[in-house]
Amino acid sequence: MSSLQAQISKILTWSCVDGPGNRIVLFLQGCNFNCITCHNPHTIGRCNDCGDCIADCPTDALMLEGGKIRFDPALCTHCDACLAACSINANPMVQTYSVHDILTLLGKHKDFVSGITVSGGEATMQLPFTKALFTEMGRDPALAHLTRFIDTNGYLGAAAWTTVLDVTDGVMLDIKAFDCDTHRQLTGRDNARVLDSARMLHTAGKLYELRYLMVPSQTDTAGEIESLMAFTQSLEGPVRVRLNAFRTHGVRGEAAAWPAMEREQVEAAARALAEKSTGPVILPALW
Ligand code: SF4
Ligand code: SF4
């Protein structure tokens, strides 16, 4: 049994929007993008134990012990004041879970879910844990029927993908923009590796779904939607595409003042895509 552990900001024991069927979802802490449209910006940073958030906790649920931040869940009222206090988008409430902990959780829920999705933050930032977890699931006769999915920003390099694909059933991958400058402005990173990952995963038969976030005046333009169409057509065989609509819930900074994406425009883009698409075009699960 692997002794690997992961820093996890949240676990859902039931979700129907994070891959096929009902799924347990692990939201890993830490991301290599810095998306200005992120709905959960407190999942981006890794805590450096500075202690700056302690004074903002109204219930004394946070403390420094041996130079490390410690969180007492029994005292927490989930007010999120500590998240607002952190200047590096970290979360002092993150918990450490071992592979064994998650296998135990899966054992309790195995009759009620279709599988597990590792999300984030960025799921691939703690890849050895994910690989060990998926491998152990496959070896356990009681859990081997559960599917194993990754929800990613696609920035992982091809060599690293190959280490985990044989134990992964499917990947949901976000493309934030096709224009490189727009992608860099929205995420802080280039999009070349994202597009390479999408191509490689599709060729390997592991790309379950491409996700595309429509942001008004940024990624809803005719040029971007045409690029999305052209990209899906360039992949051999059907590609499932999910359009998502920008909302300001949880968003910090300048994007919090941006308008929400109109439903009519998303539906019009979906119709245009469906005309030329080789696979299903899915509308947002949440508006
Ligand atoms: S969560 Fe942020 S403010 Fe709190 S100790 Fe960690 S880095 Fe410092
Ligand atoms: S969310 Fe919990 S730990 Fe954070 S400030 Fe509020 S009570 Fe304290």
Side-chain angles (χ1 to χ4, degrees):
M1 172 74 63
S2 168
S3 59
L4 287 171
Q5 297 178 320
Q7 298 284 304
I8 297 179
S9 65
K10 187 174 174 184
I11 297 176
L12 292 180
T13 52
W14 191 91
S15 167
C16 58
V17 296
D18 293 286
N22 305 330
R23 310 193 70 76
I24 288 181
V25 188
L26 308 182
F27 294 93
L28 305 192
Q29 183 70 19
C31 187
N32 45 9
F33 280 9
N34 192 13
C35 295
I36 55 179
T37 56
C38 183
H39 293 290
N40 299 299
H42 57 274
T43 65
I44 294 174
R46 300 294 287 268
C47 178
N48 62 17
D49 301 300
C50 72
D52 286 354
C53 54
I54 292 175
D56 287 68
C57 176
T59 60
D60 296 328
L62 300 172
M63 59 219 82
L64 277 178
E65 277 185 5
K68 294 277 178 196
I69 196 84
R70 193 174 80 75
F71 164 63
D72 184 345
L75 296 177
C76 179
T77 56
H78 309 285
C79 70
D80 289 350
C82 53
L83 303 182
C86 181
S87 62
I88 61 165
N89 284 334
N91 176 356
M93 300 175 284
V94 162
Q95 304 275 288
T96 301
Y97 292 85
S98 66
V99 170
H100 179 260
D101 292 335
I102 303 302
L103 292 173
T104 303
L105 180 74
L106 285 165
K108 282 187 196 154
H109 294 271
K110 65 181 168 52
D111 297 329
F112 311 105
V113 295
S114 318
I116 190 167
T117 296
V118 179
S119 183
E122 169 49 31
T124 63
M125 294 275 288
Q126 301 182 61
L127 200 61
F129 171 86
T130 302
K131 183 181 179 185
L133 173 65
F134 285 4
T135 302
E136 297 286 352
M137 283 175 65
R139 285 180 185 151
D140 185 337
L143 302 178
H145 66 287
L146 298 175
T147 55
R148 301 156 293 183
F149 276 63
I150 293 174
D151 183 354
T152 180
N153 64 23
Y155 200 68
L156 189 70
W161 275 120
T162 61
T163 68
V164 77
L165 283 189
D166 60 336
V167 289
T168 301
D169 295 298
V171 177
M172 282 84 71
L173 184 147
D174 278 289
I175 295 179
K176 295 294 195 324
F178 285 89
D179 177 77
C180 208
D181 289 339
T182 305
H183 193 277
R184 215 178 277 116
Q185 187 203 333
L186 290 174
T187 70
R189 298 269 193 180
D190 194 89
N191 64 2
R193 282 171 64 156
V194 178
L195 301 179
D196 284 348
S197 288
R199 291 185 195 99
M200 186 275 291
L201 290 166
H202 184 72
T203 302
K206 301 288 183 177
L207 184 65
Y208 171 73
E209 185 173 271
L210 269 187
R211 294 179 168 181
Y212 186 80
L213 178 66
M214 291 181 65
V215 182
S217 306
Q218 309 265 343
T219 59
D220 67 337
T221 62
E224 280 289 315
I225 300 302
E226 278 164 23
S227 294
L228 174 57
M229 260 182 222
F231 186 77
T232 57
Q233 286 174 325
S234 74
L235 302 175
E236 207 169 301
V239 184
R240 179 184 162 99
V241 176
R242 179 181 294 277
L243 295 178
N244 286 320
F246 173 70
R247 290 285 175 273
T248 55
H249 175 72
V251 174
R252 293 178 187 166
E254 62 168 293
W258 291 356
M261 191 69 224
E262 296 288 343
R263 185 172 187 147
E264 293 72 23
Q265 269 179 274
V266 179
E267 289 176 345
R271 282 194 298 275
L273 279 167
E275 274 177 23
K276 296 188 179 174
S277 177
T278 52
V281 180
I282 315 294
L283 286 165
L286 305 168
W287 289 99

